[in-house]
Amino acid sequence: MPTSLYVHIPFCSRICSYCAFSKVLFNEKWAFSYIEKLIEEIEGYKIPKHSQKTIYVGGGTPTTLPDTLFNKILGYLSEYLVEGGEFSIEANPESLTSEKIDILKNNGVNRVSLGVESSQSKYLTLMERPHSFEDIIDVVNNLKGKGITNINVDLIYALPGESSEEVSTDIDALLSLDVPHISTYSLILEDSTKFKNLGLTEADDSVQADQYELILATLRERGYERYEVSNYSKPGFESKHNTVYWRNEEYYGCGMGASGYLNGVRYKNTGSIIAYLAGKTVSEKEVVVEEDKPLLFLMTNLRLRNGFKMDRYKEFVGKDFMETHKEKALALEKEGLLIIEGDNVRVSDKGMLLLDKVTVDLVR
């Protein structure tokens, strides 16, 4: 059985202009009903108590919940965590109050991911983020003061008109927080977002690549390892939960809009709050068929700095990696995109920038 559980809380106090995640504006009546339905869904999977090595509560903005509901769902989820397991939650600074930090601590939450996105007021305003960087500093200090030191901060770069100098300013600001994990994402304009509706365009590929390499070089210089395409950590602070996704391992996904992967089936829950409250959960299912396994394995595992061992590939795909991909793999190695060392396969720094090409070349 899977040993990782993702739980989605869709409520937000406002909708950010770039966000395409499954979310709704907070409604107190909906929130109380939602938590009841969420617990019903989790119960339906008959997950043994104290069996989950990682639990991740995402959103939306989980910290938008009122304290009573926040305490209720975290207390409920804590019963599923193994001793010493990773219990993560996403939070925004404007709603992560001192009282909520106490609730996190009392329920065993030991990792917090903060939506920072930028340190600069003009970009925070553009993204309709209701906080300042000073708010982030206060929240980080409050978390540390109460013993929660495993903290991630998110950054969005390649924003409209953003220069490399401004990206460098953001990275320096994040480094000043002295947290062990940093996630960075170039802006993607997705359908149904305000940015998309306004007709904004994404930065050129060359601009995104330059800013990506700037971030990589700066964080490496300061002792952070890029262990996944967009994620950097100090040694020992890699996200255990997210690594489950990147290793193509199965996990439970519960809540409106959540995705899961069980018994060889990838599924997605309804993105409608009305449908979810009516008791309808899974809206899409995709059985992982044999011919899709190589692509699925490679497009996840090659995102990791350490790549994968060939015996794991054979275990999932049922075929030997070098027998199936030898010619293409050696060609990519000759191009300096792939590194094959004994039974380990991973991409180079250059390959990380061209990850889609590497993956497609291997399986086509």
Side-chain angles (χ1 to χ4, degrees):
M1 297 180 73
T3 56
S4 290
L5 167 64
Y6 174 78
V7 174
H8 194 78
I9 306 294
F11 302 107
C12 292
S13 59
R14 62 194 293 171
I15 305 300
C16 299
S17 48
Y18 60 88
C19 181
F21 290 117
S22 186
K23 76 280 181 185
V24 292
L25 285 170
F26 177 76
N27 175 302
E28 187 170 13
K29 183 179 178 181
W30 279 357
F32 278 86
S33 299
Y34 182 85
I35 295 302
E36 294 301 324
K37 289 296 181 182
L38 178 60
I39 290 173
E40 280 184 26
E41 183 189 2
I42 296 170
E43 295 281 350
Y45 285 110
K46 302 189 186 314
I47 305 169
K49 296 294 177 70
H50 309 296
S51 66
Q52 300 301 289
K53 294 178 181 177
T54 72
I55 297 175
Y56 192 106
V57 184
T61 311
T63 46
T64 302
L65 290 174
D67 289 357
T68 51
L69 278 183
F70 194 62
N71 185 58
K72 178 178 180 177
I73 189 59
L74 293 184
Y76 173 79
L77 292 173
S78 68
E79 296 182 8
Y80 288 96
L81 192 69
V82 301
E83 185 175 352
E86 182 187 84
F87 194 172
S88 304
I89 192 165
E90 292 178 351
N92 279 345
E94 69 275 7
S95 55
L96 187 52
T97 61
S98 180
E99 291 77 15
K100 280 197 167 68
I101 295 174
D102 287 336
I103 292 171
L104 297 180
K105 188 73 177 173
N106 292 339
N107 288 295
V109 174
N110 50 29
R111 185 175 186 274
V112 174
S113 182
L114 287 172
V116 177
E117 317 315 353
S118 177
S119 67
Q120 299 166 73
S121 58
K122 70 175 182 178
Y123 290 117
L124 290 171
T125 300
L126 177 68
M127 290 184 281
E128 299 188 58
R129 301 290 292 174
H131 63 82
S132 66
F133 191 68
E134 288 69 27
D135 295 330
I136 292 289
I137 295 171
D138 289 343
V139 167
V140 168
N141 288 336
N142 286 340
L143 284 166
K144 290 179 179 178
K146 296 195 176 186
I148 300 177
T149 57
N150 193 353
I151 301 167
N152 169 63
V153 288
D154 284 344
L155 173 73
I156 298 176
Y157 65 94
L159 290 162
E162 187 175 28
S163 67
S164 291
E165 290 74 18
E166 288 174 316
V167 172
S168 185
T169 295
D170 274 345
I171 292 298
D172 288 343
L174 296 189
L175 287 167
S176 74
L177 298 171
D178 190 25
V179 296
H181 196 288
I182 297 174
S183 300
T184 67
Y185 307 99
S186 64
L187 177 67
I188 297 175
L189 296 175
E190 301 199 48
D191 292 339
S192 80
T193 64
K194 187 173 181 179
F195 272 0
K196 186 79 168 185
N197 294 337
L198 288 172
L200 297 180
T201 56
E202 294 176 10
D204 292 343
D205 289 347
S206 61
V207 171
Q208 294 185 42
D210 287 347
Q211 294 184 1
Y212 179 87
E213 292 192 291
L214 168 65
I215 292 168
L216 173 63
T218 306
L219 291 181
R220 274 184 172 167
E221 189 177 293
R222 294 292 292 272
Y224 291 80
E225 273 289 348
R226 178 186 61 187
Y227 70 97
E228 190 271 345
V229 174
S230 303
N231 287 272
Y232 306 79
S233 77
K234 293 290 183 69
F237 286 92
E238 299 86 354
S239 168
K240 293 180 176 67
H241 182 87
N242 289 336
T243 300
V244 168
Y245 305 152
W246 300 321
R247 283 173 57 87
N248 189 45
E249 296 173 355
E250 296 192 349
Y251 62 95
Y252 300 100
C254 298
M256 175 188 133
S259 297
Y261 184 19
L262 293 174
N263 302 317
V265 177
R266 290 186 174 272
Y267 66 90
K268 184 174 177 60
N269 280 357
T270 178
S272 163
I273 187 70
I274 301 301
Y276 190 83
L277 294 181
K280 299 171 184 176
T281 52
V282 178
S283 61
E284 300 172 29
K285 286 185 178 181
E286 179 189 0
V287 177
V288 177
V289 295
E290 292 300 316
E291 55 263 37
D292 290 340
K293 284 185 174 182
L295 176 61
L296 181 58
F297 184 92
L298 293 170
M299 69 187 294
T300 51
N301 282 268
L302 285 178
R303 295 178 65 91
L304 293 165
R305 172 176 60 101
N306 294 330
F308 61 88
K309 299 290 186 185
M310 293 186 194
D311 59 352
R312 285 196 63 246
Y313 180 90
K314 188 170 185 178
E315 181 183 348
F316 181 71
V317 177
K319 298 177 181 178
D320 184 87
F321 176 79
M322 287 305 284
E323 285 183 10
T324 308
H325 303 285
K326 183 176 181 178
E327 184 179 340
K328 295 170 183 176
L330 292 178
L332 287 166
E333 186 177 40
K334 190 174 182 180
E335 287 183 65
L337 300 176
L338 201 65
I339 298 171
I340 305 169
E341 296 174 325
D343 67 343
N344 191 79
V345 182
R346 60 187 175 91
V347 293
S348 64
D349 281 351
K350 181 181 175 183
M352 222 31 125
L353 281 171
L354 300 169
L355 192 54
D356 288 346
K357 167 186 164 51
V358 173
T359 306
V360 170
D361 282 2
L362 279 170
V363 297
R364 71 181 176 185

